[in-house]
Amino acid sequence: AGRARALDDGVVGASAQLEDVIGLAGEPSKDGRRAARILRDRARYAGTAVGLLLDLFAPDTVILDGGLLQTPQYLDTLCAAAAVRSSRYADPSAHIVPSALGTGGLVRGAAALALDRFYRDPLAAIATAA
């Protein structure tokens, strides 16, 4: 969402990635300030979703992964937005933690599920795929 908005706002070019927006946000230029605002807004939107999830499912912990881990400087913004939306927890930040798997945890988790079948019974997995 951050890259798409930065592209729509003309902050970055079509070939830019989220990492480019994050790098730009650290610059004192006008585009840097715009990129930082986009990333703050992105954290606020994610925090709103996390706050709703906390109220809806009442989990012990919400684990953040993916691109959100690339901008830890906005974690406080995310937690503040979650606090506004959550009526279940007085301090939702105690229930929001970054993944210990790093930014590629979702991909590794999905691959692990796909590979589990193969490693359990390679011959059956190959026969089914053929």
Side-chain angles (χ1 to χ4, degrees):
R3 178 198 166 277
R5 182 165 160 212
L7 181 61
D8 289 346
D9 288 358
V11 176
V12 295
S15 64
Q17 298 299 315
L18 177 60
E19 292 80 10
D20 299 316
V21 179
I22 293 168
L24 186 60
E27 297 179 10
S29 66
K30 178 182 175 184
D31 283 343
R33 289 188 301 275
R34 290 170 61 197
R37 186 181 69 245
I38 289 168
L39 293 173
R40 256 190 319 279
D41 288 348
R42 177 177 172 262
R44 199 172 8 262
Y45 300 146
T48 298
V50 168
L52 292 170
L53 289 171
L54 287 168
D55 278 1
L56 186 60
F57 297 110
D60 290 333
T61 306
V62 173
I63 300 172
L64 302 177
D65 194 25
L68 291 172
L69 296 183
Q70 292 177 293
T71 55
Q73 64 271 33
Y74 299 109
L75 186 57
D76 288 344
T77 301
L78 185 148
C79 289
V84 168
R85 293 301 290 168
S86 177
S87 59
R88 185 176 297 269
Y89 299 102
D91 181 14
S93 65
H95 301 275
I96 302 169
V97 298
S99 169
L101 298 175
T103 59
L106 288 175
V107 173
R108 285 193 293 279
L113 288 173
L115 291 173
D116 178 62
R117 182 170 171 249
F118 177 80
Y119 287 124
R120 285 181 189 268
D121 191 353
L123 295 177
I126 291 170
T128 305

